[in-house]
Amino acid sequence: MAEILKNGQVHSDNWQVLHLEADTDPAAQTVAPGQWLVPFNVWVAQRDAFKTRAGEIGVWLSATDDLNAVAAEFAAWPLVAIDFPKFTDGRGYSIAWRLRNHHKYTGELRAIGNVLVDQLFFMLRVGFDTLALDPKVSTEIALKHLTPFPDTYQGSTDNPEPLFRQVDRVLGGARS
Amino acid sequence: MYRYDDYDRALVKARVDQFRDQTARWQAGELGDEEFRPLRLQNGLYMQRHAPMLRIAVPYAMISAAQLRVLAAIAREEDKGYAHFTTRHNLQYNWIPMARVPEVLARLAEVEMHAIQTSGNCIRNVTSDQFSGIAPDEVVDTRPLAEIIRQWSTFHPEFAFLPRKFKIAVHGAERDRAVVQVHDIGLHLYRDDKGEVLARVWVGGGLGRTPILGEIIHEGLPWRHLLSYMEAIIRVYNLEGRRDNPYKARIKILVKALGIEEFRRKVDAEWASLKDGPATITDAELARVSAYFTAPAYAQLPDTDADYEARLASDKAFARWVQQNVHAHRVPGYRAVTLSLKAKGQAPGDITDTQMDAVADLADAYSFGELRSSHEQNLVLSDVELRKLPELFDKAKALKLASSTVGLLTDIICCPGGDFCDLANAKSIPIAKAIMERFDDLDYLHDIGELDLNISGCMNACGHHHVGHIGVLGVDKNDEEWYQVTIGGRQGNDTRLGKVIGPSFAAADMPDVVTKLLETYVSLREPEERFVETVVRVGLDPFKLSVYGESARDRANKKKEAENG
Ligand code: HEM
Ligand code: SF4
């Protein structure tokens, strides 16, 4: 059982992430019983077989997956995850933004991979709602670092309004 | 200039607290070096040759006397009594111990300064024209929109981990003084016939190892769409820019690979759903920010003064300074004054703590307490009364800030190079100093006239060598420091990259090489022709010949023969 962060709290959760084994045909990849996040290509290859496992098979996306193809399939998935192969690879932020805003995905969106403490705020802003921390990160420390900033200058998925539309910023002045 | 309100203040303070906490976690071993690295870079902190280097943002060149005093105090108390102005308006310290950085940032926050996003693979400090708001050729004051861009880019959640750094420059005058074409995004603000502010948007410029000039991606973008349009550009870049090789990761490489047409198509497709959305800048927001940049309380003054004219007529040194270092102003009776940070023996852009304090006093006494830092690594007092110029000259001279060389050969742009920088192939400051030493005859310098000499210690091009009329690049050959020379580069409306003249030189030869280039120019120039114009007219060959002698001609002939044969 793994722990994830959701709504500022720790939740336990049974989802596991499946990586395609080297030199394996996505159609031939075995998916053990239980709740699995599978790569998009595995899902495409085995979608019919997965129909019998409703609620058990979610999909994780990498930066190379075609979002237009993905978007057509949302309805069948209980969970979508985006992988951060390395925390410095920022593509996941824009992928998440596009899923939420262009493709109007409204279900659970989870950050997986090299998910570290100091990026969580950004992840929550662009549209992730659950965070599967990198195993080396302390959940306790992570929880303390979800909102390092009191306000946001620019809009994003969490609040599309930039600060100048949110509040009346009087000249030289005080918070309104 | 812009002043923080409670929101800005709270955000910058939160950033200081965040960085203090990150530093503590790094010290406690909770954050590894590799994980801490981008966090410190996004707070301007590099690890360098001798010590950490801390880069402080000077947004679009604006700095107040009060801020400069704090920068001086930090130089004195936390560093070794000096700091360095860069080619991107910013200020760098070289010797502040890592553990002290959070305290330094806290102190800066009190005067509304920060080091946010001055490094790292994110949107960097926005640069602009050092004469914004005062230049007679200005069409649009860039500062309000530059501040709006600063706020939008600060802690942008989607763009903190781009493939590579991202630099935005804005200019709004007839003459481009911000080199917008060598930036990831360059904006030229102008007005249509109804007075509406529009932007010409350039994309994919950059220097470094693969210098490329930007291309126009959009013409006539109304100002209110600037943020949404840039969001579209940067999203496409974030998703599609290369991440496999840092040397190929800038947006310029993506734009070249796709071609500007295809890149534009992608950006337009992305922009379609953003246009007119919440990121659209409102009239109220532009008005709010513009209110911080209203003109100071200028006096009604004649555009002449008897004492000033008398001094001009009688004192050649003063007249020279006025000619080179004093600039036109849109308000009669006022001038802008460049305080040169290029005194002989000084590393270009360096300034001591006592000089900073003194400059702050000058700004208070003569320029409404405000000044600018220029990308040529000088300081500018923006609003000086013409009649005060004589006394300002005397004071600046006593401070060694009145070298009458602005725009001339020895107004060298120079990166820190091998003396400070880990990436350097060669030292750059000693080359600058040697050239300043050789060419210290003001009569000669004035005769040579306008000439940009730019030096970088490696192909990263922090010293803008590609756009120098004469560019000097440090190269490494078998662990020895050599210097490659380009000529014909230029900045401004007709920005061009210089061309290499031939094999590189040893450090000791550099003053001679410059001498020969200048001799060639003097012998070939037509009346009123600047060095770079002569290069354009006559080509590289006469210059090569003078520098390399007959061997150059032989090589050229051999090449011709080979081509003919
Ligand atoms: C000492 C620490 C510094 C380091 C490690 C450093 C590093 C770099 C690197 C790696 C590049 C190439 C970027 C690329 O091509 O993608 C670059 C470019 C640049 N840097 Fe620096 N730099 C330093 C200091 C400076 C200073 C002191 C200045 C100003 C004097 C400066 C201004 C610039 C500019 C203007 C460019 C070229 C424009 C462009 O980004 O294409 N840097 N720097
Ligand atoms: S040009 Fe090279 S040597 Fe000079 S500061 Fe930049 S990285 Fe360092």
Side-chain angles (χ1 to χ4, degrees):
Chain A
M1 197 133 82
E3 289 183 332
I4 56 149
L5 302 190
K6 184 178 176 180
N7 296 329
Q9 286 173 338
V10 186
H11 290 254
S12 44
D13 169 296
N14 292 320
W15 287 97
Q16 291 169 274
V17 180
L18 180 105
H19 289 271
L20 187 63
E21 285 157 29
D23 303 320
T24 306
D25 178 352
Q29 173 69 48
T30 49
V31 183
Q35 288 186 304
W36 286 97
L37 280 161
V38 303
F40 181 58
N41 58 359
V42 170
W43 190 82
V44 169
Q46 304 189 32
R47 56 198 303 166
D48 291 333
F50 289 153
K51 279 192 183 135
T52 58
R53 297 178 63 177
E56 263 188 20
I57 305 294
V59 171
W60 69 264
L61 305 174
S62 78
T64 48
D65 292 323
D66 173 7
L67 280 193
N68 290 316
V70 166
E73 314 290 351
F74 291 154
W77 302 339
L79 172 63
V80 178
I82 295 171
D83 180 45
F84 286 81
K86 197 152 184 354
F87 76 102
T88 48
D89 183 341
R91 287 177 292 186
Y93 299 99
S94 287
I95 297 167
W97 190 93
R98 274 193 172 168
L99 271 185
R100 290 289 194 208
N101 295 279
H102 286 344
H103 303 290
K104 310 288 183 207
Y105 173 69
T106 53
E108 181 179 343
L109 184 59
R110 178 174 300 190
I112 61 169
N114 195 201
V115 177
L116 306 178
V117 172
D118 295 278
Q119 290 74 41
L120 300 176
F121 173 70
F122 294 150
M123 290 175 175
L124 291 171
R125 287 214 63 202
V126 298
F128 290 101
D129 47 10
T130 57
L131 308 161
L133 297 174
D134 187 291
K136 71 179 168 204
V137 170
S138 139
T139 323
E140 208 183 321
I141 294 178
L143 278 177
K144 287 194 212 135
H145 292 83
L146 296 178
T147 39
F149 300 110
D151 298 295
T152 50
Y153 279 128
Q154 63 297 97
S156 191
T157 306
D158 62 337
N159 181 354
E161 306 259 294
L163 189 59
F164 63 76
R165 288 180 191 268
Q166 293 171 32
V167 297
D168 186 15
R169 297 181 69 182
V170 285
L171 192 65
R175 298 186 83 88
S176 49
Chain B
M1 68 190 265
Y2 187 72
R3 298 301 312 267
Y4 286 3
D5 65 9
D6 284 354
Y7 296 95
D8 302 303
R9 217 170 283 121
L11 278 164
V12 171
K13 184 180 176 301
R15 177 59 150 205
V16 174
D17 294 342
Q18 182 193 43
F19 190 62
R20 185 179 281 127
D21 168 72
Q22 288 167 342
T23 307
R25 282 189 282 137
W26 170 69
Q27 285 167 328
E30 287 165 24
L31 265 178
D33 286 345
E34 208 197 326
E35 289 152 7
F36 184 51
R37 186 171 180 275
L39 307 180
R40 67 170 161 74
L41 287 175
Q42 300 214 5
N43 285 286
L45 189 57
Y46 284 81
M47 293 305 290
Q48 280 308 309
R49 192 147 286 203
H50 309 289
M53 181 204 88
L54 180 63
R55 183 181 289 157
I56 313 300
V58 179
Y60 43 89
M62 299 290 296
I63 185 165
S64 72
Q67 291 174 330
L68 193 58
R69 285 197 185 90
V70 169
L71 293 172
I74 292 170
R76 187 160 48 240
E77 291 155 28
E78 305 279 356
D79 199 294
K80 296 190 179 178
Y82 69 95
H84 175 78
F85 277 101
T86 79
T87 44
R88 306 196 69 258
H89 306 313
N90 296 333
L91 177 119
Q92 289 181 180
Y93 293 110
N94 294 297
W95 306 98
I96 298 181
M98 199 85 147
R100 292 293 302 160
V101 171
E103 293 322 308
V104 169
L105 295 180
R107 210 162 157 185
L108 288 167
E110 282 173 24
V111 284
E112 306 178 4
M113 295 195 94
H114 60 74
I116 296 166
Q117 292 167 213
T118 54
S119 179
N121 295 335
C122 52
I123 304 173
R124 303 285 191 91
N125 185 33
V126 183
T127 54
S128 184
D129 180 350
Q130 70 267 27
F131 297 119
S132 295
I134 54 170
D137 73 339
E138 180 172 276
V139 178
V140 181
D141 183 348
T142 55
R143 295 170 301 170
L145 284 168
E147 173 61 26
I148 288 171
I149 295 170
R150 181 190 77 82
Q151 297 192 13
W152 163 76
S153 63
T154 298
F155 314 137
H156 198 297
E158 209 183 320
F159 304 141
F161 295 93
L162 297 171
R164 198 70 184 84
K165 57 164 97 170
F166 203 91
K167 299 177 178 178
I168 301 173
V170 201
H171 95 90
E174 273 159 29
R175 221 184 106 201
D176 170 15
R177 284 173 287 263
V179 227
V180 299
Q181 285 179 66
V182 302
H183 288 78
D184 298 280
I185 291 180
L187 300 172
H188 172 197
L189 304 179
Y190 59 96
R191 289 178 195 277
D192 67 10
D193 45 17
K194 292 187 210 75
E196 178 81 355
V197 173
L198 304 177
R200 168 178 293 172
V201 185
W202 305 81
V203 73
L207 297 175
R209 138 180 344 232
T210 317
I212 295 178
L213 297 181
E215 294 184 80
I216 296 174
I217 180 167
H218 199 108
E219 186 64 76
L221 180 73
W223 61 273
R224 56 183 77 249
H225 299 310
L226 273 174
L227 301 183
S228 61
Y229 191 73
M230 292 201 291
E231 178 179 330
I233 292 180
I234 302 176
R235 181 166 302 124
V236 170
Y237 167 56
N238 189 35
L239 287 166
E240 301 195 22
R242 284 181 63 175
R243 289 174 184 267
D244 58 328
N245 176 346
Y247 299 123
K248 304 232 183 282
R250 294 282 291 271
I251 195 174
K252 61 190 174 188
I253 305 290
L254 178 65
V255 173
K256 275 282 172 245
L258 292 174
I260 186 72
E261 298 301 327
E262 175 63 5
F263 185 75
R264 182 183 294 120
R265 195 192 59 71
K266 285 176 183 267
V267 170
D268 285 345
E270 184 65 38
W271 189 45
S273 68
L274 304 176
K275 186 169 181 280
D276 298 317
T280 309
I281 307 168
T282 57
D283 290 317
E285 176 65 355
L286 183 63
R288 177 185 79 83
V289 180
S290 298
Y292 288 97
F293 298 98
T294 49
Y298 292 120
Q300 287 255 350
L301 295 170
D303 205 39
T304 179
D305 176 75
D307 291 343
Y308 163 78
E309 298 293 344
R311 179 90 183 255
L312 213 49
S314 64
D315 180 350
K316 192 170 164 197
F318 177 68
R320 273 215 167 116
W321 180 74
V322 169
Q323 188 191 329
Q324 293 307 134
N325 298 24
V326 175
H327 318 274
H329 198 290
R330 63 178 181 79
V331 178
Y334 283 85
R335 296 290 185 272
V337 173
T338 297
L339 298 172
S340 167
L341 301 183
K342 315 291 175 70
K344 203 168 94 178
Q346 178 183 14
D350 273 12
I351 185 164
T352 67
D353 62 321
T354 39
Q355 281 177 321
M356 281 192 262
D357 276 334
V359 170
D361 292 345
L362 294 181
D364 275 339
Y366 298 104
S367 189
F368 300 98
E370 276 182 19
L371 52 147
R372 321 286 179 91
S373 56
S374 75
H375 86 264
E376 289 90 354
Q377 302 178 285
N378 291 312
L379 290 173
V380 175
L381 294 175
S382 43
D383 303 281
V384 181
E385 292 178 16
L386 174 84
R387 59 186 179 180
K388 302 274 177 64
L389 287 174
E391 71 183 73
L392 175 59
F393 172 64
D394 294 333
K395 289 187 184 171
K397 200 167 161 210
L399 293 165
K400 295 197 171 24
L401 296 170
S403 308
S404 301
T405 55
V406 172
L408 303 180
L409 172 70
T410 55
D411 189 15
I412 297 173
I413 293 181
C414 180
C415 81
D419 293 297
F420 296 96
C421 176
D422 256 354
L423 306 178
N425 285 329
K427 293 195 174 72
S428 50
I429 295 169
I431 304 298
K433 285 185 175 168
I435 292 170
M436 287 161 137
E437 187 79 31
R438 165 77 60 94
F439 300 98
D440 68 343
D441 176 354
L442 273 180
D443 288 325
Y444 183 70
L445 287 175
H446 281 254
D447 176 55
I448 295 295
E450 195 188 315
L451 202 158
D452 295 344
L453 194 151
N454 298 355
I455 309 176
S456 303
C458 76
M459 60 288 196
N460 286 325
C462 304
H464 285 185
H465 65 276
H466 301 108
V467 292
H469 300 165
I470 299 177
V472 178
L473 163 66
V475 290
D476 174 289
K477 277 204 232 163
N478 308 322
D479 282 343
E480 282 176 40
E481 303 191 347
W482 290 81
Y483 298 89
Q484 185 185 70
V485 175
T486 49
I487 60 175
R490 70 208 97 132
Q491 56 183 42
N493 297 12
D494 183 30
T495 299
R496 295 290 168 87
L497 304 172
K499 297 204 174 85
V500 178
I501 63 169
S504 49
F505 307 95
D509 295 333
M510 283 309 300
D512 287 344
V513 171
V514 176
T515 300
K516 285 177 185 156
L517 292 173
L518 296 180
E519 283 169 0
T520 312
Y521 157 63
V522 169
S523 70
L524 295 173
R525 69 178 165 188
E526 292 185 340
E528 306 295 310
E529 198 175 53
R530 298 180 306 156
F531 173 87
V532 66
E533 288 153 357
T534 306
V535 175
V536 172
R537 183 173 55 81
V538 304
L540 261 57
D541 284 345
F543 293 92
K544 287 185 185 173
L545 189 63
S546 77
V547 171
Y548 297 102
E550 293 301 319
S551 64
R553 180 175 293 162
D554 292 349
R555 264 204 308 277
N557 285 341
K558 277 209 191 98
K559 198 169 156 226
K560 262 202 199 108
E561 274 166 33
E563 278 163 8
N564 294 339

